[in-house]
Amino acid sequence: MNDMNRGIDDAAAAEMVSHALDRPDLVEHTGDLPATQRAAMRLIEARAIPLRVFARDGLPTRLMTPADEPARFHRMTHHGITDLVHTVSRPIRMKVNKQTGETETVPVTFPERAAKAMMDSAEWRLPAIDGVAVTPLLEDDGTIRAVEGYDHATRLWCSRVPDIRVPTRPSRADAAQGLRLIRNVFATFPFADAARMTASDLDLVDTDLPPCDAESAFLNGLMTAIAKPSLDLTPGLMVTAPDVSGAGSGKGLLVQAICAIAYGAPPAAFTAGTASGELDKRITSALIEAGNAIFLDNVNATALRSDTLASVITERPAWGRVYGETRMVLLNSTAFVAVTGNGLSVSEDLARRFLACELDPKCDDPEARDFPDGRDGFLATIKAQRGELLTAALTIWRWGRQNEASLTKGKAFGSFETWARWVRDPLLALGCADPVEAIARAKARDPRRLKLVEMFEQWWQDHHNYPVPAARVSEAVKGIIDPQNRGRNYIVSTVNAYVGTRAGGFVLTRQDAEGRWGHATYSLKQVES
């Protein structure tokens, strides 16, 4: 693997942990328990990386790396801290022998009170960690680093990185060949607007033609998942299909295959839940675990809204509330975010944060379609070809970084400027569609925006640009704002909330009341859409 930079690997870690058998004494100061705590903390910190103990949200956390399973983080309890103290030291108590008068050392169990206090101590000096990477780390100049162990530069634990061989100076032909390889592997997926052909009795995407909007969104999603550990902010991927007839179209399989390439294993999926606020709690819990991907599956016939999801995609770090507690934690997420659903739409605040990939098999029973080797066989093929597919994607990426000045630049994408340079622009230069253009169309389909545009158009028709109190708008406007007839106060508060909002070529303005008994008035102005 090129640009090799080895960290502390598993063998070295095991060797260093074995040295804990030669443990120093840790004296329990019965009259000064904080001194005992500090001494124990310094011993743990000295061996933190080989023991895989890190600071997350400023608190001690153990990285668990079971064989053949995704790595995960476990917030340490006082039982775990007690065990850790005994791993790095021999807790003892000084005792005077009444018969001889000499001072002796007596082995003891580390005090439970001290272990509990260490759980929440602000005096830890552990290395901070943001997540786990199982794909090469990337740098802006096109460098690819294969790291094993803790990487201080990115604050990531890196492991199980596959062996890849990316050309040192890839040509445009190399990048185009890599793109063709990826497209051919995924040609069986029913990207909604793709031109299709039949080969060997299979319905396939015609890869001789440029990628359509949906396939381009997928390709950007794959590249995003691979680059995510090395980028602060990236958009998520939303894979949708038609309501009712979209079941079995391959949405979940597409996300699983993306993660199998990027991270070596499909992600664990979870659903939105039904209770109010349940989704944000589940997202926060998943982010605390610091997995490689957040996979929200089967969000069907829903307009998705989530303040937590919106925050973690465009802010790093972001605050989240721990499930079952009032405590807030900082979520420094390195996870790739993917959402799937039939008949799924997203609110306007989420629309600009997601690449939209639409699948449409254009048949009544999508699950009955022929698929080579079935679902499990396809994923097995993806895993077997992981190194080859990673090499293809990173060839595109490196070509883009080394030739940025000559690349086609796409539409501006606020919050994701670096992502656009790394991921979107190289694919755009190779003939893919700009997924940012599709975001505007997704926003236009947002039910809240559609209702707002309808209300503004009716307001303009009935009141033009004349100022009017909220309670005195026309009955037609009231019917759009308050179809359930909740009353005057609801209408006034709703109209006031829309002040400054632009939609459908209009902006709503507010004029303050004149005099003690006056009323605030509202008026529309035409603006460029």
Side-chain angles (χ1 to χ4, degrees), residues 302-381:
T302 300
L304 179 65
R305 297 190 66 186
S306 169
D307 293 339
T308 299
L309 202 55
S311 181
V312 298
I313 290 177
T314 51
E315 298 176 26
R316 185 171 174 187
W319 286 103
R321 186 168 73 84
V322 179
Y323 180 70
E325 301 180 25
T326 58
R327 182 171 61 92
M328 300 287 287
V329 294
L330 280 175
L331 303 172
N332 208 346
S333 174
T334 61
F336 170 66
V337 178
V339 180
T340 67
N342 300 324
L344 169 64
S345 64
V346 293
S347 61
E348 183 170 347
D349 55 344
L350 282 180
R352 76 173 189 87
R353 292 167 165 88
F354 278 90
L355 309 173
C357 174
E358 185 178 357
L359 303 183
D360 187 358
K362 296 182 173 61
C363 62
D364 293 342
D365 301 303
E367 68 278 2
R369 294 176 302 130
D370 287 333
F371 205 85
D373 302 322
R375 172 190 175 280
D376 293 339
F378 177 75
L379 285 178
T381 300

Side-chain angles (χ1 to χ4, degrees), residues 224-309:
T224 299
I226 294 169
K228 176 58 184 175
S230 304
L231 287 172
D232 279 344
L233 300 175
T234 64
L237 176 66
M238 179 175 64
V239 185
T240 64
D243 197 7
V244 182
S245 65
S249 57
K251 305 178 298 299
L253 182 60
L254 188 65
V255 172
Q256 290 174 327
I258 287 173
C259 293
I261 295 171
Y263 313 125
F270 64 95
T271 60
T274 56
S276 175
E278 180 73 11
L279 173 58
D280 283 345
K281 295 174 184 177
R282 294 186 180 192
I283 291 170
T284 300
S285 296
L287 290 170
I288 290 173
E289 289 288 329
N292 297 118
I294 300 295
F295 180 22
L296 180 57
D297 195 19
N298 287 325
V299 187
N300 299 323
T302 300
L304 179 65
R305 297 190 66 186
S306 169
D307 293 339
T308 299
L309 202 55

Side-chain angles (χ1 to χ4, degrees), residues 153-195:
T154 60
R155 307 201 319 188
L156 297 173
W157 181 270
C158 309
S159 66
R160 305 171 188 172
V161 179
D163 188 24
I164 60 171
R165 301 287 173 180
V166 178
T168 304
R169 300 287 308 182
S171 65
R172 181 187 180 91
D174 293 330
Q177 182 179 355
L179 180 62
R180 173 60 72 94
L181 170 64
I182 296 170
R183 293 187 67 195
N184 286 338
V185 170
F186 287 87
T188 52
F189 283 86
F191 299 110
D193 51 350

Side-chain angles (χ1 to χ4, degrees), residues 46-86:
R47 293 176 175 173
I49 291 177
L51 289 170
R52 299 177 185 177
V53 182
F54 300 96
R56 280 181 61 78
D57 192 27
L59 301 175
T61 304
R62 196 84 180 262
L63 175 64
M64 314 299 289
T65 56
D68 302 322
E69 291 183 24
R72 63 183 184 275
F73 288 96
H74 178 68
R75 167 78 188 282
M76 296 197 69
T77 66
H78 68 278
H79 298 295
I81 288 178
T82 300
D83 180 69
L84 201 58
V85 170
H86 281 264

